[in-house]
């Protein structure tokens, strides 16, 4: 309805639209300020705890624990074995346990383990601590992504993932600065500086977990910072955005007694009635193994998982070995720690900028295809550079391409999987497969390659190229599938779902099988 020309007043439709826009801004603002900072703290603590061993290494860890050969790399590798194991089950229990309890419990537990890392004396102790740390940390990232996807609409997600993911970039910088400051405690209480890195950063992680437990809501309905009006509006707008994936026309079975009372013609007429829309929203969905299997069989999981594996080889090796690489360029002690800081700064800025435009344009894969060539060029420069200045410049390019790509690839499956337990499976399985790249990353850079690390750079370069190809394949698949759905060639999906529902084999929503559900590129 248009405003009245005579009175200048606004019609009810316009007023309703303005009210909805104002409520949307209020709800998103409150979610952003109450949810994102605690999650950013969790991810910051996670990345610092995961990469602080690199800072400890150049501060004397290897010498004091009598490591030799590839024992340091082995200690890094066992972390990923336990890390991968817990990702899927952690996501499956997230809804039952509640994310505002589960995520803080994880971080407080690994903070305790990190603190105890300051007491290790040998290779066996270091290995044992890293295994336990993997079990504690594995559920965090898939849980955070799944949690955000229950609060924000599909194309509001990546900016939020990008904001907390940028804290990973900052953690590299902050970790270097923190390690530099903590090393000044060398000798305090008779402990080496590298031991204080673990002790103090572990205690900081526990503090982050307690803060998150106070502020994070379990879901929209239990968010104390929203008014009753805002809760109702937030839940309704989220459900409206998911209504296609939550509903499908399914014939509602009549009671047996009623059927027996009907004549033949009545029964025929009953079958010709238009099916009713059955809606199953995420808060009502129950766990089904069929949804897990549906997630495992999704081609996008495997394309993006192996693409993310390619990114992780570069991402993890970068965070773990940047202090070592920088030390190999001729810097020592505090100078080495401080020179690990600047490369992360442009990466953090680009991560948020790319995430913002990714949501605005509703693109995921295309931005990876744009950003990743920077990383590829960085590794090529690192391999071919003849001076330390050139090699140091290369590490800026490596981070500037790979860090912004992370939120893009993490947002693909939450956007393109629908049904809570399918989404829980796809997001966790993607990361479980991708994190096997940690095994490669930990052995990519070995001490015998110093100072140029050509083999390590070459391995990371090859996997970055593989990631680019696989992301391109996923973009092509989504584009072709969307074209088929727009052309009406996926209507049979409803018939197959109806058969499953009516036979009692599922009570999950139709989700991304709905022919009107379009994939995000």
């Amino acid at each position: 309805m248009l405003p009245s020309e005579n009175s200048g007043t606004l019609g009810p439709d316009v007023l309703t639209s303005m009210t909805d826009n104002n409520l949307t801004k209020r709800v998103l603002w409150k979610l952003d300020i109450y949810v994102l900072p605690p999650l950013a703290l969790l991810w910051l603590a996670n990345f610092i705890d995961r990469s602080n061993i690199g800072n400890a290494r150049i501060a004397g860890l290897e010498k004091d624990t009598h490591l030799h050969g590839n024992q340091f790399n082995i200690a890094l590798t066992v972390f990923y074995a336990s890390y991968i194991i817990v990702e899927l089950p952690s996501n499956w229990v997230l809804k039952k346990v509640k994310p505002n309890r589960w995520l803080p419990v994880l971080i407080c537990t690994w903070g305790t383990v990190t603190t105890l890392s300051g007491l290790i004396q040998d290779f066996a102790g270091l290995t044992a601590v890293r295994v336990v740390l993997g079990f504690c940390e594995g559920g965090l990232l898939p849980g955070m992504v799944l949690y955000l996807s229950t609060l924000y609409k599909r194309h509001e997600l990546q900016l939020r993932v990008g904001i907390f993911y940028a804290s990973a970039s900052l953690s590299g910088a902050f970790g270097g600065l923190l390690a530099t400051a903590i090393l000044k405690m060398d000798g305090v209480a008779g402990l080496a500086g590298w031991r204080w890195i673990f002790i103090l950063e572990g205690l900081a992680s526990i503090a982050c977990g307690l803060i998150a437990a106070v502020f994070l809501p379990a879901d929209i309905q239990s968010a104390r910072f929203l008014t009753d009006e805002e809760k109702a509006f937030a839940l309704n707008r989220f459900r409206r955005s998911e209504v296609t994936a939550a509903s499908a026309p399914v014939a509602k079975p009549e009671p047996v007694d009623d059927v027996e009372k009907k004549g033949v013609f009545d029964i025929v007429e009953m079958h010709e009635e238009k099916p009713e829309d059955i809606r199953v929203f995420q808060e009502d969905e129950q766990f089904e193994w069929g949804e897990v299997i549906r997630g495992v069989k999704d081609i996008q999981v495997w394309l993006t998982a192996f693409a993310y594996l390619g990114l992780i080889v570069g991402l993890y090796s970068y965070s773990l070995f940047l202090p070592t690489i920088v030390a190999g360029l001729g810097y020592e002690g505090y100078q080495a720690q401080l020179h690990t800081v600047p490369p992360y700064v442009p990466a953090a800025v680009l991560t948020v900028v790319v995430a913002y435009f990714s949501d605005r344009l509703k693109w995921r894969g295309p931005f990876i295809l744009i950003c990743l060539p920077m990383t590829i060029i960085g590794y090529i420069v690192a391999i071919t550079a003849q001076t330390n200045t050139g090699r140091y410049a290369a590490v800026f390019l490596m981070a500037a391409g790979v860090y912004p790509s992370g939120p893009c690839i993490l947002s693909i499956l939450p956007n393109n999987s629908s049904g809570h337990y399918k989404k829980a499976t796809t997001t966790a399985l993607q990361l479980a497969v991708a994190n096997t790249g940690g095994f490669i990353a930990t052995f990519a850079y070995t001490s015998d390659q110093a100072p140029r690390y050509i083999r390590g750079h070459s391995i990371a370069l090859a996997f970055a190229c593989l990631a680019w190809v696989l992301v391109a394949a996923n973009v092509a698949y989504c584009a072709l599938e969307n074209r088929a759905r727009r052309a009406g060639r996926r209507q049979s999906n409803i018939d197959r779902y109806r058969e499953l529902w009516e036979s009692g084999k599922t009570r999950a929503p139709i989700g991304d099988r709905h022919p009107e559900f379009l994939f995000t590129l």
Side-chain angles (χ1 to χ4, degrees):
M1 182 179 292
L2 296 174
S4 168
E5 293 181 4
N6 296 326
S7 65
T9 59
L10 297 176
D13 290 350
V14 176
L15 288 172
T16 300
S17 177
M18 290 175 64
T19 302
D20 285 356
N21 287 338
N22 290 333
L23 276 171
T24 296
K25 290 177 181 177
R26 270 165 43 197
V27 166
L28 288 178
W29 172 247
K30 286 188 175 183
L31 287 173
D32 288 345
I33 62 172
Y34 282 94
V35 173
L36 295 185
L39 290 186
L41 269 180
L42 296 186
W43 190 236
L44 175 67
N46 174 260
F47 231 79
I48 288 176
D49 276 349
R50 191 185 305 177
S51 58
N52 58 14
I53 192 169
N55 298 106
R57 182 188 194 186
I58 65 174
L61 167 69
E62 280 186 301
K63 180 182 176 182
D64 291 353
T65 54
H66 315 293
L67 302 184
H68 56 82
N70 286 332
Q71 285 187 332
F72 179 79
N73 301 75
I74 293 169
L76 297 182
T77 302
V78 296
F79 168 87
Y80 294 105
S82 53
Y83 189 96
I84 290 164
I85 290 171
V86 302
E87 290 183 289
L88 273 165
S90 177
N91 253 21
W92 291 337
V93 304
L94 187 72
K95 181 181 176 184
K96 190 75 174 177
V97 180
K98 303 299 183 185
N100 63 325
R101 298 173 188 164
W102 185 243
L103 298 178
V105 164
L106 291 179
I107 189 171
C108 288
T109 307
W110 91 56
T112 304
V113 175
T114 298
T115 301
L116 295 175
S117 300
L119 306 178
I120 57 177
Q121 301 296 328
D122 51 26
F123 172 65
L126 177 62
T127 303
V129 162
R130 297 295 291 179
V131 170
V132 177
L133 200 60
F135 279 121
C136 298
E137 293 191 22
L140 182 69
L141 183 55
M144 287 169 66
V145 173
L146 181 62
Y147 174 49
L148 284 175
S149 73
T150 66
L151 301 176
Y152 293 95
K153 291 161 64 174
R154 290 171 69 198
H155 299 114
E156 296 168 348
L157 181 65
Q158 188 176 327
L159 178 59
R160 278 75 194 183
V161 174
I163 288 171
F164 84 71
Y165 203 85
S167 65
S169 310
L170 292 175
S171 73
F174 185 66
L177 290 172
L178 192 59
T180 302
I182 292 174
L183 284 177
K184 295 184 183 297
M185 295 182 65
D186 189 33
V188 174
L191 298 176
W194 67 264
R195 295 185 185 277
W196 282 112
I197 291 176
F198 287 129
I199 293 169
L200 295 183
E201 291 183 0
L203 292 173
S205 292
I206 295 171
C208 290
L210 295 175
I211 292 170
V214 171
F215 287 100
L216 289 178
D219 47 37
I220 291 172
Q221 299 98 306
S222 63
R224 294 191 301 271
F225 50 84
L226 295 176
T227 65
D228 290 340
E229 179 192 21
E230 289 166 347
K231 287 178 186 178
F233 176 78
L235 184 61
N236 188 47
R237 73 182 284 273
F238 186 87
R239 284 181 167 182
R240 284 202 310 268
S241 72
E242 297 287 315
V243 70
T244 297
S247 61
V250 178
K252 186 176 181 181
E254 292 199 14
V256 174
D257 291 344
D258 290 346
V259 173
E260 289 174 351
K261 292 175 185 177
K262 292 178 179 283
V264 175
F265 295 104
D266 293 326
I267 293 174
V268 171
E269 185 180 4
M270 176 194 73
H271 284 298
E272 289 179 351
E273 288 179 357
K274 186 178 179 180
E276 176 182 331
D277 253 13
I278 299 294
R279 294 182 179 177
V280 183
F281 291 104
Q282 65 178 15
E283 58 269 24
D284 303 317
E285 186 180 343
Q286 301 299 312
F287 180 84
E288 293 181 8
W289 281 109
E291 289 296 281
V292 173
I293 294 169
R294 205 163 69 82
V296 172
K297 291 165 66 175
D298 192 330
I299 188 174
Q300 291 191 68
V301 171
W302 301 99
L303 288 173
T304 61
F306 283 105
Y308 199 17
L309 185 153
L311 294 179
I312 274 178
V313 170
L315 187 69
Y316 286 1
S317 62
Y318 189 89
S319 61
L320 291 169
F321 293 102
L322 181 62
T324 304
I325 294 169
V326 169
L329 299 180
Y331 301 104
E332 296 180 356
Y334 300 132
Q335 287 296 315
Q337 301 284 4
L338 286 172
H339 275 79
T340 65
V341 175
Y344 288 103
V345 177
V349 174
L350 276 173
T351 298
V352 176
V353 170
V354 168
Y356 172 79
F357 284 105
S358 183
D359 271 349
R360 289 293 297 269
L361 298 175
K362 300 181 181 178
W363 285 0
R364 305 294 183 239
F367 273 107
I368 300 175
L369 302 181
I370 293 168
C371 292
L372 206 50
M374 281 193 287
T375 295
I376 292 170
I377 292 169
Y379 283 114
I380 292 172
V381 170
I383 292 167
T384 58
Q386 299 300 313
T387 65
N388 284 342
T389 302
R391 295 184 193 111
Y392 187 56
V395 300
F396 282 80
L397 289 172
M398 294 173 194
V402 75
Y403 276 94
S405 298
C408 293
I409 207 163
L410 284 171
S411 300
I412 291 173
L413 294 180
N415 281 178
N416 293 347
S417 301
S418 190
H420 177 84
Y421 286 103
K422 189 201 172 181
K423 190 188 300 180
T425 301
T426 58
T427 52
L429 182 56
Q430 180 198 57
L431 282 162
V433 172
N435 278 313
T436 59
F439 298 118
I440 302 166
T442 52
F443 283 99
Y445 292 85
T446 51
S447 56
D448 59 300
Q449 301 174 46
R452 297 188 63 187
Y453 296 97
I454 290 177
R455 187 173 74 238
H457 293 326
S458 299
I459 292 170
L461 171 62
F463 276 95
C465 293
L466 173 66
W468 194 96
V469 171
L470 291 173
V471 169
N474 194 71
V475 170
Y477 167 78
C478 291
L480 290 171
E481 182 64 19
N482 285 347
R483 184 182 302 172
R485 293 182 179 211
R486 289 189 181 102
R489 297 199 299 272
R490 295 293 183 265
Q491 294 301 315
S492 59
N493 288 359
I494 290 181
D495 296 329
R496 286 194 290 270
Y497 173 75
R498 188 181 298 157
E499 289 174 8
L500 291 171
W501 180 280
E502 292 174 356
S503 63
K505 293 179 179 178
T506 189
R507 285 298 178 262
I510 188 170
D512 51 78
R513 292 168 288 191
H514 200 292
E516 294 177 13
F517 184 98
L518 297 179
F519 294 132
T520 302
L521 296 183

